Amino acid sequence: MTGHVAQGSSSPALKAPPTPWPTRRLGPFEVSAIGLGCMNVCHAYGEPLSEADAARLLLAALEAGVTHFDTAALYGFGLSEEWIGRHLAPHRQRFVLASKCGMTGEPDERGVKVRVIDGRPATLKATCDQALKRLRTDVIDLYYLHRWDKRVPIEDSVGALADLVRQGKILAIGLSEVSAATLRRAHAVHPIAAVQSEYSLWTRNPEIAVLDACRELGVAFVAFSPLGRGVLTASPPDPAAFHPKDIRRAMPRFAPEHWPRNLRLQQRLAALARQAGCTPAQLALAWVLARGPHVHALPGTTRIDHLQEDLQALRVQPEAALLAELDATFTPQAVSGARYNAQGEDEVDTERF
């Protein structure tokens, strides 16, 4: 499998097989600068793909040169991990595998699975064992704490993940949606390889402190939803047509009182992309990658043509003046509405403007 090096080892970064795309360091690994987030195939934005279509997408990404695949126990309540295990396990040597624990689906009193945040050490270790079975692998390259359970000291949760490193079940530790202060506390317990948080033109909270903290500590920063949950593309979603299960229905930025203002921002992005000779998605991804050599972009998609379009962002090199215009257009004050509802905001530890 790709990358059997203990975190903190003096060994050089492990490289995935040759890829046509630029690579960046992700903990002890070297991966394609744009990875594939594997939530969309079965979770969050409506009905999941069929397994056959999901398999085609995963294999297309692999063949296109993606060497960083990211999933979680939460996605489809284990389904994303199952599909990756079933269809990518035969190619395990060709990519770096990331997954997450600490947020899973548990049955409520009606027997319906609901999202639960649980960072207790025993829970994290049990989730890892279940994930290894679903993923059909003996080691997860990068394992994130999906959300910090604020009832459990971060030192205890990271200590459990450090035990998994020592047991050889995972190779590196990541954190998701944490503040710079929490990152520093965790890093004092065990080296943190990566922080994964929402980051895009319309979600710039990491610029408050976490981006700089990651740079200082030598931690990779992985930007999820770098396309603004579909907004920063040539075909932004229609909130009125969202599937009943689409999580964006509960996000204020898509509400009627906020959406028209945000759509005008997308229209400005589209105009700038035309001037640059690329698509809006490519320009948005290129902006993310220009934030620093330690920054990775992790878009998700259900379509192979969108996957191929996203990867071409690695060929886009925006001029400094264009990047500055994007910065000035997409200020935190220009975006209307919070990124999560009140419950979602309470569940994350990230700094806020």
Side-chain angles (χ1 to χ4, degrees):
M1 291 175 194
T2 303
H4 285 213
V5 161
Q7 176 67 17
S9 164
S10 60
S11 300
L14 291 161
K15 293 188 177 182
T19 171
W21 309 113
T23 61
R24 294 191 174 184
R25 182 132 185 190
L26 183 67
F29 312 108
E30 197 80 19
V31 299
S32 53
I34 291 180
L36 180 65
C38 300
M39 179 182 77
N40 302 34
V41 298
C42 65
H43 189 84
Y45 296 146
E47 291 296 329
L49 290 177
S50 69
E51 183 174 352
D53 285 341
R56 278 189 283 271
L57 178 72
L58 294 171
L59 291 169
L62 192 66
E63 292 306 312
V66 174
T67 55
H68 174 198
F69 288 78
D70 180 281
T71 183
L74 178 71
Y75 302 161
F77 302 134
L79 189 60
S80 177
E81 289 181 329
E82 286 182 13
W83 285 354
I84 288 174
R86 196 170 295 147
H87 300 288
L88 292 187
H91 313 283
R92 187 66 179 83
Q93 296 284 350
R94 297 174 57 184
F95 65 94
V96 168
L97 174 62
S99 194
K100 308 179 195 73
C101 61
M103 187 158 62
T104 57
E106 300 294 338
D108 63 10
E109 64 277 1
R110 300 166 298 166
V112 177
K113 282 192 175 182
V114 295
R115 185 181 61 179
V116 173
I117 295 175
D118 186 345
R120 292 175 296 176
T123 301
L124 303 184
K125 292 176 180 180
T127 302
C128 180
D129 287 340
Q130 295 159 6
L132 289 168
K133 293 177 181 177
R134 287 192 291 260
L135 291 163
R136 303 190 184 191
T137 186
D138 60 357
V139 64
I140 298 169
D141 297 318
L142 173 59
Y143 207 42
Y144 291 92
L145 183 66
H146 204 160
R147 290 290 186 273
W148 174 32
D149 181 351
K150 298 171 187 176
R151 301 165 300 178
V152 180
I154 189 65
E155 291 83 357
D156 292 355
S157 294
V158 172
L161 298 180
D163 287 343
L164 293 173
V165 172
R166 286 187 285 270
Q167 294 166 13
K169 294 181 178 181
I170 68 175
L171 296 183
I173 297 173
L175 303 174
S176 181
E177 295 277 30
V178 297
S179 65
T182 302
L183 168 61
R184 293 182 190 281
R185 287 172 56 191
H187 197 70
V189 175
H190 187 281
I192 301 300
V195 168
Q196 182 176 143
S197 288
E198 184 176 357
Y199 187 42
S200 69
L201 281 164
W202 86 331
T203 298
R204 298 179 62 174
N205 305 57
E207 295 174 10
I208 298 172
V210 169
L211 276 183
D212 286 341
C214 286
R215 183 182 295 109
E216 175 192 334
L217 296 172
V219 175
F221 183 90
V222 179
F224 78 75
S225 295
L227 297 178
R229 302 185 186 276
V231 175
L232 307 176
T233 69
S235 301
D238 175 7
F242 283 155
H243 187 279
K245 295 181 180 179
D246 195 311
I247 63 172
R248 293 173 293 185
R249 291 169 62 91
M251 294 180 175
R253 291 180 180 179
F254 296 94
E257 63 268 31
H258 298 295
W259 179 244
R261 182 177 174 185
N262 292 330
L263 187 57
R264 286 194 291 273
L265 288 173
Q266 184 277 339
Q267 293 164 350
R268 180 56 181 156
L269 172 66
L272 292 172
R274 285 193 295 271
Q275 295 175 23
C278 63
T279 69
Q282 289 165 351
L283 184 56
L285 290 169
W287 177 89
V288 167
L289 293 173
R291 308 314 285 180
H294 66 306
V295 178
H296 298 245
L298 191 69
T301 185
T302 59
R303 291 174 47 172
I304 293 174
D305 59 336
H306 286 174
L307 164 72
Q308 294 167 339
E309 175 189 350
D310 292 349
L311 289 172
Q312 288 299 323
L314 293 165
R315 309 287 192 215
V316 176
Q317 299 294 326
E319 295 182 354
L322 176 55
L323 293 172
E325 187 164 0
L326 288 167
D327 283 347
T329 300
F330 285 84
T331 63
Q333 296 74 30
V335 179
S336 187
R339 66 187 182 111
Y340 289 130
N341 60 17
Q343 178 183 344
E345 292 285 352
D346 286 343
E347 290 176 351
V348 299
D349 177 51
T350 44
E351 292 90 354
R352 305 178 196 177
F353 288 104

